[in-house]
Amino acid sequence: MAFNGAGIGQEARLFRVKFYQTPSFLFLIMGISTIIVMLVTFFIAKTFDDVTFLILSTSTVTGVVFVSGVILVRIISKIIIINAARTEFLSLVTHQLRSPLTGMKYIFELALSQNAGELTPTLKEVLRQGAESNQQMLMLVSDLLDMSKMAEGDSPYEYEKVEVKRLIKEVYEDLAPNAQEKNITVQLHIDETDQIKVDPKKISFAIQNLLDNAIKYTPEHGTVTVKARQIGKRVKISIIDTGIGVPLNEQDRLFTRFYRATNAEKTKKTGTGLGLYIVKTIIERHGGSIQFESELNKGSTFTILLPLRSKHF
Ligand code: ADP
């Protein structure tokens, strides 16, 4: 693979990696390193005043460094290519799956509304179960798409300065109907903070996921509180609920892909276990951190710490 300036940019876009992670750039670095190693070996060997030793040592060391460099760069390139193909495949498949699943959703709705004909109680139950499985598949497809978009670098991060208060209020307004449906009181305690430089869509998505979970995993008449304040050069956002909590022995697996706690599986059948993984990835890509505390049947507190300005921008 030959190095050329335009190739690096193209490769970075194609493989969705930084320019310094592209195979062409790695080859360039490897070439430069080999030349440096060759020169260093040459000057060291020269001090021994033996021409045969000089030629042998310089060519051996250069050869070893060059061959291992080529092998290493080839392995890294392969991993990058496989990873890009996997992401591409995932987003392609999930895109293609969404339309037929949405079509099926309407068919189930139509059948269950009995507009297409009367149903026996057994048939109605069978269709209800079919609609539930279909809904679960739709959620999975939508979460997988979000994962490839938000977490795995499908869409680049676009940073701009935003008001924390506005961001949280917008998310709250979207989810207020879910809380009302369950008679859950949502309290907002948002202090004035400096603006934060983030990708607003992605941070909104993360806060939305946490607030959605807090409402989803809190029984009727519970309370969800969102707090935000500035601590030095960071903003702390906490989402506190009085919900089902997470069993202590399962807490360390919560941010793993597809993991759902046993009590959540029992109380809420629909869920994919992808949301928190995506949230964590988004927050960490902003240079922030997320942690939580939870007590079974008492509630949970998820806390995000975000730098006012990510170290990347
Ligand atoms: P999902 O909600 O689709 O299952 P998430 O990735 O958002 O997936 O959450 C993973 C798991 O973490 C949930 O299945 C649940 O067990 C637990 N969880 C997340 N938020 C809460 C919460 N606020 N209260 C209790 N459990 C929670």
Side-chain angles (χ1 to χ4, degrees), residues 5 13 15 33 56 78 103-104 113 121 145 185 190 196 202 206 230 243 256 285 309:
R13 274 191 298 281
F15 301 136
S33 317
L56 268 179
K78 240 188 191 146
M104 273 161 72
S113 71
L145 269 176
T185 310
I190 318 293
I196 44 171
K202 288 175 174 102
Q230 186 166 340
T256 336
R285 290 256 315 247
R309 245 179 110 88

Side-chain angles (χ1 to χ4, degrees), residues 168 225-229 236-240 301-304:
I168 296 178
T225 310
V226 184
K227 290 185 181 171
R229 70 189 168 102
K236 179 178 174 180
I237 303 172
S238 307
I239 291 123
I240 307 151
T301 299
F302 284 81
T303 305
I304 298 173

Side-chain angles (χ1 to χ4, degrees), residues 82-143:
I82 291 170
N83 204 31
R86 190 182 63 93
T87 310
E88 182 71 31
F89 175 74
L90 184 68
S91 82
L92 200 84
V93 169
T94 41
H95 258 119
Q96 298 300 324
L97 277 176
R98 200 153 54 168
S99 324
L101 286 171
T102 312
M104 273 161 72
K105 180 183 154 100
Y106 292 120
I107 291 170
F108 278 121
E109 276 173 9
L110 179 72
L112 280 166
S113 71
Q114 314 222 25
N115 282 343
E118 279 296 308
L119 298 172
T120 63
T122 319
L123 202 49
K124 206 168 174 185
E125 177 54 23
V126 170
L127 282 173
R128 201 196 52 73
Q129 284 177 17
E132 204 176 286
S133 304
N134 188 65
Q135 183 58 26
Q136 177 73 8
M137 276 284 279
L138 256 175
M139 278 177 65
L140 183 62
V141 163
S142 142
D143 279 3

Side-chain angles (χ1 to χ4, degrees), residues 213-214 216-217 241 244-246 254 259-261 264 271-276 300 302:
N213 276 348
K216 186 160 91 175
Y217 296 114
D241 67 55
I244 61 170
V246 182
L254 215 61
Y259 189 74
R260 302 198 71 217
T272 61
L274 279 174
L276 284 184
S300 312
F302 284 81

